Amino acid sequence: MLAVRSLLGRIGSWSTTIYCWTDCSKRSAQLLCRVFEKCVKIRLDQPDFDRVSMRIVPYRILLFFARTWTILATTLIIYSALYLPEAAESTDYVMTFYVAGHLAASGRATDLYPETNVLSFTGSPFDKAAHALLPHLPHNLTAAYMHSPLVAWIFSPLSRLAPNLSLLLWQGLSLVGLAICCGTLAHIHDTKTSDILFLSFLLFPIFITLWIGQLSIVFGLLPLCTGFLLLMKSRPFLAGLAWSFVSLKPQYLPAVGLVDPGQRLAERRLAR
């Protein structure tokens, strides 16, 4: 009992310390304690926790840390994009898709791919264009483009912005796509969209995908979830149309192929 009380006291102290770092007032620190109280369903204003009910739901504690991590991760992503130019230009999005969009928009689509007899991407036209376009890109990094020309054309409008702003915009679009996927899952399982969104940040690949600007959410997860929702609403044509976008991220195509067998298996179990 004493150990649990001590742990809760430390968590409350750590939360207050975070707010002190941001020069918040005493009232802001008390507000943070109320947020923690709501998440774990206990009262922190009781002296020495004498009358605290120990019915702490583990899910609520997990959700509290998921919310905290989501805020910290989002802050890190925004700060990295705006104030760390070398880190921003070293991301997959900027050194690959931003450069590809710029080449496609400027009529240099032939520079997307090296010659057929080239054994290395180092020194290729795309690699040279990337280092010429991105002044903060480390010289030891080799830029290479291994996607379809259609993807480069899609990123042409975003290449008109500065690299860090284009990255931040794409990260925002990816976050919106993730929220839509979480909303789809919430609709299917009758739960809160915000809870699924916060908990998804605990999956490390989600955070990495958002940070370095990969295509997995917008071109993979989003059409996959959208097509599944449309299929559940008996709209197979629109579902197939949504799944066609997965071809831009073919790693997700096997998941599409498993939808029909999984649905039939579920129907057989319900029929028993």
Side-chain angles (χ1 to χ4, degrees):
M1 182 70 69
L2 293 177
V4 175
R5 293 176 181 176
S6 177
L7 176 60
L8 295 175
R10 290 182 181 180
I11 293 176
S13 176
W14 294 339
S15 303
T16 305
T17 303
I18 293 175
Y19 263 67
C20 290
W21 287 344
T22 56
D23 297 327
C24 289
S25 62
K26 182 180 179 180
R27 183 179 300 176
S28 299
Q30 293 174 349
L31 177 62
L32 181 62
C33 290
R34 291 179 189 149
V35 172
F36 179 78
E37 171 188 338
K38 183 178 180 181
C39 289
V40 299
K41 303 264 185 216
I42 61 174
R43 300 185 60 186
L44 297 178
D45 55 352
Q46 300 286 349
D48 299 327
F49 296 96
D50 288 338
R51 292 175 291 174
V52 173
S53 173
M54 301 310 295
R55 298 177 181 177
I56 302 175
V57 182
Y59 174 77
R60 292 293 178 181
I61 299 178
L62 179 64
L63 186 59
F64 170 77
F65 285 106
R67 289 173 178 173
T68 304
W69 166 241
T70 300
I71 295 174
L72 293 177
T74 304
T75 303
L76 175 61
I77 290 173
I78 296 175
Y79 181 83
S80 177
L82 294 180
Y83 301 106
L84 299 177
E86 183 174 337
E89 295 184 3
S90 300
T91 58
D92 283 1
Y93 172 79
V94 175
M95 66 180 296
T96 302
F97 306 110
Y98 178 83
V99 176
H102 175 79
L103 293 178
S106 58
R108 299 170 55 191
T110 55
D111 291 341
L112 291 174
Y113 309 102
E115 298 293 335
T116 56
N117 57 347
V118 174
L119 301 179
S120 174
F121 288 106
T122 303
S124 64
F126 187 87
D127 183 42
K128 293 179 180 179
H131 283 88
L133 183 63
L134 308 173
H136 301 285
L137 183 65
H139 295 287
N140 62 331
L141 294 181
T142 300
Y145 183 75
M146 295 177 285
H147 299 266
S148 70
L150 179 60
V151 175
W153 177 79
I154 292 175
F155 285 103
S156 296
L158 294 179
S159 67
R160 300 182 183 276
L161 300 174
N164 60 334
L165 296 180
S166 181
L167 171 63
L168 189 61
L169 178 58
W170 176 251
Q171 290 169 334
L173 293 175
S174 299
L175 185 58
V176 171
L178 179 62
I180 294 175
C181 295
C182 294
T184 302
L185 295 176
H187 175 78
I188 295 174
H189 296 285
D190 192 23
T191 185
K192 292 183 179 180
T193 302
S194 59
D195 288 1
I196 299 179
L197 179 62
F198 291 135
L199 292 173
S200 67
F201 267 80
L202 296 179
L203 184 63
F204 192 66
I206 292 291
F207 167 68
I208 290 296
T209 296
L210 290 171
W211 192 6
I212 66 178
Q214 290 183 343
L215 310 182
S216 301
I217 294 177
V218 177
F219 290 165
L221 192 61
L222 179 59
L224 182 64
C225 292
T226 303
F228 183 71
L229 180 63
L230 291 171
L231 185 64
M232 292 189 63
K233 292 184 177 182
S234 300
R235 296 180 180 179
F237 176 78
L238 294 179
L241 188 62
W243 284 335
S244 66
F245 289 94
V246 181
S247 60
L248 298 175
K249 194 67 177 177
Q251 295 92 326
Y252 285 79
L253 286 175
V256 176
L258 293 175
V259 171
D260 184 64
Q263 189 177 25
R264 293 187 180 184
L265 181 61
E267 291 176 353
R268 290 180 181 177
R269 290 187 175 181
L270 290 176
R272 293 179 180 177

